[in-house]
């Protein structure tokens, strides 16, 4: 490794409001490192590469990316003399001292082996591995070969977080007692590799939490796992959305620090707050956001408020009541170069022959903490990507519950009901046996396919008391959900929502209702109408016309707009045979989707809500694309 030493470049330091920020690194000899990069994606191009070229004496001499056009654009931007689509050429390049591996995590260990075998040190983009075992394997490789190894946790070198560390070291809040962190953000849409645990190691939590845990480890490490948990909240995704961790750290005086952190990636708002509680005060700042304030709050309550004159006693009491805390605030702008401190630190370590082994060990500790939170969710962490049937996302939970159920709901369906379903097109109402139905959040406006984003409705349409009865009536358990909708009628609908007061007679058939097969024949589907409220005769109940599922009426493709009565396709005499479905909350009807149905206005002051669930036999799926949720036994764990 090239070891030409020069004085380090000065770090770009943000300007606090009240005093000078602590610089991220002290003066030390640095090494003129020459970098090879495997994977020049967005993070490298926007952030990391700028840190390399800005660090004194460092350069990029070789770069690899599969996309040749983007690779050449990157090379031109950062004056990279050698480019390739073959990673082996990067690690074998004679001028490369360090290899920066910035691919998706599933390739990190593979490329680390390649680089270490060539005698090159490595910087691994976070998370360093898909689990702690992979991260530990990379650390062990570097230690065995006596080459430097680092993980790309760069926030710890920024002035904002160095200020927090300095405040702790100078005892600004007394002995550190506890650490708590809370992160919230709305669910992000996207289907890139970060949403695939087999490539990324988990969801957004596994992608981002390491940054926060690395900072906490800097402030009060080494951290030790105590307990953790994770949940999937959105059925569309297979990864975790909510994660929580309880851990222990060590204060400056050696005493234990209790830590708790939570992340919610399907929240209704945003939050990013790290709080370090000391015996005499606290420090608050954001952790993922690199700009913003570091706030110090110190207890300044006065004691002995019973002593002195009346005036002094009163003054002390007022001060304690209204000004108990002394606050200081340091404001930091986002660093112009977010990764500069990291690359300066790597160069300093190389230039002084410093011990860098602890750097990857911190990454191993953060990975162990994240593994602890995800252990149960993924059914283990070592090579968990090979066993997706063990994952506890919403797609597997109801199926596992059905498999363990002591009650077989299909046995509740007798031969007479099956025959009625065949000849008249409906059966029920049945009792759903779903607990907590009264607490389901029902939106005021109608919503389509809510089961894909709302865990409560996903559990409803996959509950065995419903799916097993549908399977028994249809005669097949090889079914999928392809569509859902909430139908809500507020009180006195004719006056309050006249456009939604009446649902005209129609059949759910054709486009957007199961579609057509390869011969352009409409695909038959099946509907469950689940009462979310008590439905009386005057509250706009679902009405059906028995036996009409065997014929397609009028311009059936128009659905609600078929105008069957107006065109004469349906007569008033036929409508007179309609059956209104009066049901209690939790009861449901199963009917062939071609069965004519509709509803009248809700003439009561109470809301009337129902949940419409659509099923199709997998063997009869049409040519239209739907977000199918496969309920067949072969798809179950």
């Amino acid at each position: 490794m090239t070891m030409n030493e020069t004085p380090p470049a000065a770090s770009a330091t943000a300007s606090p409001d009240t005093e000078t920020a602590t610089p991220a690194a002290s003066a030390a000899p640095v090494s003129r490192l020459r970098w090879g990069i495997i994977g020049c994606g967005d993070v490298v191009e926007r952030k990391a590469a700028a840190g390399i070229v800005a660090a004194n004496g460092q350069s990029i001499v070789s770069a690899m990316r599969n996309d040749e056009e983007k690779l050449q654009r990157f090379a031109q931007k950062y004056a990279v003399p050698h480019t390739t689509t073959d990673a082996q050429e990067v690690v074998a390049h004679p001028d490369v001292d360090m290899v920066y591996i910035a691919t998706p995590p599933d390739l990190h260990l593979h490329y680390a082996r390649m680089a270490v075998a060539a005698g090159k040190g490595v910087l691994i983009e976070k998370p360093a591995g898909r689990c702690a075992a992979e991260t530990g394997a990379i650390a062990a490789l570097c230690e065995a070969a006596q080459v430097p190894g680092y993980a790309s946790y760069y926030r710890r070198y920024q002035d904002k977080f160095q200020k927090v560390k300095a405040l702790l070291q100078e005892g600004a809040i007394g002995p550190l007692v506890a650490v708590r962190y809370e992160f919230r953000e709305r669910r992000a849409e996207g289907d890139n590799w970060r949403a695939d645990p087999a490539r990324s190691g988990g969801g957004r939590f596994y992608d981002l939490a390491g940054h926060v845990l690395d900072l906490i480890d800097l402030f009060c490490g080494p951290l030790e796992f105590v307990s953790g948990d994770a949940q999937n909240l959105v059925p569309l995704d297979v990864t975790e959305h909510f994660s929580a961790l309880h851990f222990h750290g060590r204060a400056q005086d050696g005493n234990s620090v209790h830590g708790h952190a939570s992340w919610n990636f399907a929240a209704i708002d945003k939050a990013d707050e790290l709080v370090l509680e000391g015996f005499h005060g606290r420090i608050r700042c954001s952790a993922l956001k690199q700009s913003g304030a570091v706030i110090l709050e110190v207890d300044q309550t006065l004691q002995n408020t019973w002593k002195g004159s009346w005036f002094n006693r009163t003054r002390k009491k007022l001060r304690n009541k209204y000004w108990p805390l002394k606050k200081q605030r340091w404001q930091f702008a986002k660093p112009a170069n977010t990764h500069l401190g990291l690359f300066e630190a790597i160069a300093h370590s190389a230039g002084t022959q410093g011990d860098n082994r602890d750097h990857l060990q911190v990454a191993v500790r953060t990975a162990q903490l994240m593994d602890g939170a995800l252990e149960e969710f993924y059914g283990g962490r070592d090579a968990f990507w090979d066993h997706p049937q063990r994952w506890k996302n919403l797609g597997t939970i109801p199926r596992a519950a059905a498999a363990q159920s002591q009650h077989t709901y299909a046995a509740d369906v007798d031969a007479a009901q099956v025959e009625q379903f065949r000849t008249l097109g409906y059966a029920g109402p049945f009792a759903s046996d779903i607990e907590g139905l009264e607490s389901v959040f029902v939106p005021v406006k109608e919503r389509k396919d809510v089961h894909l984003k709302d865990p409560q409705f996903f559990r409803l349409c996959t509950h065995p008391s419903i799916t097993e009865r549908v399977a028994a009536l249809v005669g097949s358990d090889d079914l999928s959900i392809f569509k859902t909708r909430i139908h809500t009628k507020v009180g006195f609908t004719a006056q309050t929502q006249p456009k939604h007061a009446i649902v005209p007679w129609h059949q759910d058939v054709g486009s957007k209702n199961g579609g057509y097969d390869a011969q352009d024949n409409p695909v038959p589907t099946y509907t469950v109408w689940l009462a979310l409220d008590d439905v009386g005769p005057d509250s706009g109940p679902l009405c059906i016309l028995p036996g009409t599922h065997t014929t397609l009426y009028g311009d059936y493709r128009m659905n609600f707009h078929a105008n069957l009565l107006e065109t004469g396709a349906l007569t008033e005499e036929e409508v007179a045979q309609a059956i209104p479905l009066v049901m209690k909350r939790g009861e449901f009807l199963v009917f062939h989707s071609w069965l004519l149905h509709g509803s009248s206005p809700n003439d009561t002051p109470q809301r009337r809500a129902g949940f419409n669930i659509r099923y199709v036999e997998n063997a009869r799926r049409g040519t239209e694309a739907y977000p199918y949720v496969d309920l067949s036994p072969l798809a179950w764990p």
Side-chain angles (χ1 to χ4, degrees):
M1 187 172 292
T2 305
M3 304 298 291
N4 300 315
E5 296 181 358
T6 65
S11 299
T13 304
S15 299
D17 289 344
T18 57
E19 66 178 57
T20 304
T22 305
S26 60
V30 299
S31 176
R32 295 180 182 273
L33 295 176
R34 299 169 298 179
W35 289 86
I37 302 178
I38 299 175
C40 306
D42 180 63
V43 169
V44 174
E45 184 164 359
R46 288 190 303 108
K47 302 177 183 179
I52 294 175
V53 299
N56 188 31
Q58 300 188 48
S59 61
I60 306 170
V61 297
S62 180
M64 171 268 180
R65 184 171 184 171
N66 291 327
D67 189 314
E68 182 69 35
E69 181 180 347
K70 292 181 179 179
L71 176 62
Q72 293 308 317
R73 187 169 64 234
F74 175 84
Q76 183 177 9
K77 182 177 180 179
Y78 292 105
V80 182
H82 175 258
T83 60
T84 177
T85 56
D86 184 355
Q88 184 61 51
E89 289 187 22
V90 175
V91 301
H93 196 291
D95 293 336
V96 169
D97 302 315
M98 292 281 295
V99 178
Y100 178 19
I101 301 170
T103 63
D106 61 319
L107 298 173
H108 287 179
L109 179 57
H110 169 71
Y111 287 133
R113 287 187 177 122
M114 187 184 295
V116 170
K120 308 297 173 70
V122 293
L123 169 65
I124 313 293
E125 185 53 53
K126 60 80 195 165
R130 290 174 290 179
C131 60
E134 284 195 343
T135 305
I138 295 172
L141 282 171
C142 293
E143 184 167 3
Q146 293 296 294
V147 299
Y150 302 88
S152 185
Y153 289 126
Y154 56 86
R155 281 170 172 79
R156 61 166 49 216
Y157 302 104
Q158 294 177 354
D159 293 336
K160 173 182 172 181
F161 303 110
Q162 286 291 317
K163 180 62 183 179
V164 175
K165 181 180 179 181
L167 290 171
L168 291 170
Q169 288 177 332
E170 67 190 40
I173 59 174
L176 186 60
V177 176
V179 177
R180 67 178 185 275
Y181 176 73
E182 182 179 16
F183 180 87
R184 301 190 306 270
E185 74 172 12
R186 289 184 176 273
R187 175 179 171 271
E189 300 282 351
D191 58 357
N192 62 21
W193 60 264
R194 290 179 176 85
D196 180 4
R199 301 195 68 195
S200 64
R204 294 274 290 164
F205 164 73
Y206 195 72
D207 183 41
L208 296 178
H211 277 305
V212 179
L213 296 172
D214 180 72
L215 287 175
I216 298 173
D217 196 276
L218 172 69
F219 301 146
C220 59
L223 301 183
E224 297 178 359
F225 174 78
V226 176
S227 63
D229 192 19
Q231 284 182 282
N232 169 257
L233 301 176
V234 180
L236 271 176
D237 305 330
V238 298
T239 58
E240 71 282 357
H241 296 103
F242 180 83
S243 302
L245 273 173
H246 179 205
F247 51 87
H248 286 162
R250 291 293 169 191
Q252 296 289 331
D253 60 2
N255 286 327
S256 180
V257 175
H258 294 267
H260 182 270
S262 65
W263 292 260
N264 186 348
F265 293 94
I268 61 173
D269 61 359
K270 292 185 176 182
D272 173 22
E273 184 178 48
L274 177 64
V275 181
L276 298 104
E277 294 279 358
F279 187 74
H280 295 292
R282 70 173 65 96
I283 301 170
R284 294 189 291 117
C285 68
S286 56
L288 286 178
K289 187 179 180 182
Q290 299 168 62
S291 61
V294 172
I295 301 171
L296 172 66
E297 299 173 329
V298 179
D299 180 21
Q300 63 173 3
T301 54
L302 299 174
Q303 306 300 317
N304 303 326
T305 56
W306 64 90
K307 290 185 178 181
S309 66
W310 175 87
F311 176 80
N312 283 333
R313 295 198 307 271
T314 303
R315 180 181 61 83
K316 291 178 181 179
K317 291 177 181 178
L318 288 174
R319 177 176 170 178
N320 289 352
K321 182 176 182 179
Y322 294 106
W323 300 281
L325 299 178
K326 178 183 178 181
K327 294 185 180 182
Q328 289 181 276
R329 181 186 184 96
W330 294 266
Q331 190 69 31
F332 293 85
K334 183 178 179 179
N337 195 313
T338 59
H339 285 59
L340 177 59
L342 169 64
F343 288 104
E344 286 181 335
I346 293 174
H348 296 162
S349 176
T352 59
Q353 297 295 313
D355 186 357
N356 50 56
R357 288 175 296 178
D358 185 59
H359 201 276
L360 269 180
Q361 290 305 319
V362 174
V364 172
R365 288 200 295 271
T366 62
Q368 288 171 340
L369 287 166
M370 293 188 290
D371 272 8
L374 300 175
E375 178 84 20
E376 184 175 353
F377 179 81
Y378 285 107
R381 288 294 287 167
D382 292 353
F384 73 92
W385 46 87
D386 291 331
H387 307 283
Q389 72 277 7
R390 299 176 185 171
W391 305 353
K392 291 188 176 180
N393 53 62
L394 285 173
T396 62
I397 290 173
R399 301 169 189 171
Q404 298 169 6
S405 175
Q406 300 299 312
H407 185 83
T408 303
Y409 294 96
D412 297 341
V413 179
D414 58 32
Q417 290 170 318
V418 173
E419 179 63 15
Q420 177 182 313
F421 185 77
R422 186 184 69 81
T423 57
L424 299 182
Y426 76 97
F430 300 96
S432 64
D433 194 27
I434 299 174
E435 296 181 359
L437 197 59
E438 67 281 354
S439 65
V440 170
F441 177 81
V442 180
V444 175
K445 293 185 178 180
E446 294 185 0
R447 292 188 182 177
K448 298 178 182 178
D449 292 336
V450 67
H451 68 293
L452 297 176
K453 295 186 177 181
D454 190 314
Q456 287 187 307
F457 285 98
F458 186 85
R459 290 187 177 98
L460 294 184
C461 58
T462 58
H463 196 277
S465 67
I466 294 177
T467 58
E468 289 186 16
R469 286 170 171 139
V470 173
L473 292 168
V474 172
S476 171
D477 55 7
D478 189 21
L479 300 171
S480 285
I481 303 166
F482 72 95
K483 184 179 180 179
T484 62
R485 186 166 186 163
I486 300 171
H487 291 285
T488 304
K489 291 192 176 188
V490 299
F492 301 118
T493 315
Q495 291 78 41
T496 56
Q497 293 182 337
K499 290 184 179 180
H500 303 283
I502 297 175
V503 176
W505 291 103
H506 68 283
Q507 296 169 300
D508 291 326
V509 56
S511 179
K512 299 182 181 180
N513 283 290
Y516 300 87
D517 61 21
Q519 288 73 43
D520 202 33
N521 299 310
V523 173
T525 62
Y526 310 97
T527 300
V528 164
W529 201 95
L530 172 66
L532 301 176
D533 298 315
D534 290 346
V535 181
D538 299 322
S539 56
L542 174 72
C543 296
I544 58 173
L545 283 173
T548 55
H549 63 297
T550 60
T551 302
L552 295 176
Y553 286 74
D555 192 0
Y556 62 87
R557 298 171 187 261
M558 295 300 292
N559 197 256
F560 289 165
H561 307 289
N563 298 320
L564 298 180
L565 280 171
E566 292 82 351
T567 60
L570 186 66
T571 67
E572 293 290 352
E573 290 75 15
E574 290 174 307
V575 171
Q577 306 301 313
I579 299 176
L581 277 302
V582 175
M583 292 187 280
K584 294 291 185 181
R585 176 193 285 140
E587 292 184 329
F588 66 93
L589 186 79
V590 185
F591 61 94
H592 194 295
S593 301
W594 297 1
L595 190 73
L596 281 166
H597 57 285
S599 64
S600 55
N602 178 7
D603 295 327
T604 72
Q606 288 78 35
R607 181 194 70 185
R608 188 236 69 178
F611 186 37
N612 183 294
I613 313 166
R614 304 287 300 281
Y615 301 88
V616 65
E617 293 176 77
N618 287 324
R620 306 184 77 168
R621 288 184 183 180
T623 56
E624 283 188 16
Y626 294 95
Y628 291 105
V629 176
D630 195 343
L631 300 175
S632 64
L634 291 178
W636 294 13

